[in-house]
């Protein structure tokens, strides 16, 4: 899809610019569809400067052809694209964390240290639920492995109650 006509379909503004920057890295022929969301005055000039097309009307249909897609908007506008990206909103179910009064981090996930200790002594968290960066499988697996190792170490060492000094 490098240098082809690409679409970004994003219904929330928070990560829109980040997504545009990432895909712009692959192709300068970008169209952003917000599906009814009105983009703020801060972001609009940035898109204009980089000749990123902006469509704020709701999408009516996406017509699929073998090579291309046509995105039809409710106002009759349409745009032909070669490919595109949907920007999902990843939202963990944190009701249980709220019930347990666990402290949250800057991203609204469960706050932990490197070894998964939460603000509650006997509760650990790892994976997407405590991430401070991007939700990715390899990050979740890596942090899960570290937290599991830490828990086993704590349990094992608790059997050896001795003072070093
Ligand atoms: C649509 C989509 C596409 C993605 N694409 C990619 C990709 O291409 N590459 C990539 O690296 N990552 C991708 N990710 C992110 C990746 O899936 C996550 O980062 C990863 O799965 C996080 O692993 P986890 O173990 O922390 O959480 P999860 O895999 O979400 O596992 C949490 C588990 O806990 C269970 N659970 C939740 N609440 C409870 C409860 N109260 N009691 C018992 N069980 C519970 C859930 O059912 C689930 O099985 C994608 C995610 C989504 C949603």
């Amino acid at each position: 899809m490098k240098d082809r006509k690409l679409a970004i379909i994003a219904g929330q503004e928070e990560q829109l610019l980040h997504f545009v920057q990432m895909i712009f890295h692959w192709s300068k022929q970008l169209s952003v569809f917000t599906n009814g969301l009105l983009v703020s005055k801060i972001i609009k000039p940035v898109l204009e400067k980089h000749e990123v097309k902006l469509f704020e009307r709701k999408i009516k249909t996406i017509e699929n052809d073998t090579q291309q897609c046509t995105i039809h908007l409710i106002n009759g506008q349409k745009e032909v694209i070669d490919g595109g990206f949907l920007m999902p909103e990843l939202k963990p179910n944190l009701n249980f964390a709220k019930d347990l009064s666990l402290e949250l981090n800057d991203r609204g996930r469960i706050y932990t240290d490197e070894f998964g200790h939460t603000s509650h002594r006997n509760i650990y968290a790892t994976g997407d639920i405590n991430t401070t960066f991007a939700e990715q499988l390899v990050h979740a697996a890596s942090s899960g492995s570290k937290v599991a190792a830490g828990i086993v170490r704590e349990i094992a060492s608790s059997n050896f109650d001795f003072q070093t000094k």
Side-chain angles (χ1 to χ4, degrees), residues 88 90 93 96 126-129 134-138 140-141:
L90 301 172
N93 182 348
F96 75 95
T126 186
D128 277 6
I129 205 100
E135 290 84 358
Q136 293 276 290
L137 199 59
V138 72

Side-chain angles (χ1 to χ4, degrees), residues 7 78 131 137 157:
K78 59 181 180 179
T131 186
L137 199 59
S157 63

Side-chain angles (χ1 to χ4, degrees), residues 53-118:
K53 291 187 193 170
L54 176 64
F55 298 88
E56 292 174 301
R57 293 301 183 94
K58 273 200 174 291
I59 295 170
K60 190 177 171 197
T61 52
I62 300 177
E63 201 184 331
N64 195 14
D65 200 346
T66 45
Q67 297 294 320
Q68 290 183 314
C69 279
T70 306
I71 300 184
H72 295 268
L73 303 183
I74 52 164
N75 64 348
Q77 268 183 301
K78 59 181 180 179
E79 182 76 354
V80 179
I81 50 150
D82 296 318
F85 298 83
L86 275 172
M87 202 178 96
E89 186 186 8
L90 301 172
K91 220 166 150 188
N93 182 348
L94 283 167
N95 289 340
F96 75 95
K98 285 175 189 148
D99 291 345
L100 293 165
S101 304
L102 296 181
E103 204 179 307
L104 302 182
N105 65 25
D106 293 345
R107 294 192 73 211
R109 308 297 164 93
I110 298 174
Y111 168 80
T112 70
D113 67 8
E114 201 185 344
F115 289 98
H117 297 108
T118 67

Side-chain angles (χ1 to χ4, degrees), residues 6-8 20 23-24 27-32 51-53:
L6 301 180
I8 294 172
V20 167
I23 310 298
F24 195 79
S27 173
K28 309 281 178 271
Q29 298 185 68
L30 275 192
S31 300
V32 171
E51 294 176 18
V52 174
K53 291 187 193 170

Side-chain angles (χ1 to χ4, degrees), residues 6-25:
L6 301 180
I8 294 172
I9 302 176
Q12 327 100 59
E13 199 173 275
E14 291 84 49
Q15 291 182 322
L16 193 141
L17 199 54
H18 167 69
F19 225 74
V20 167
Q21 287 168 338
M22 298 302 285
I23 310 298
F24 195 79
H25 197 53

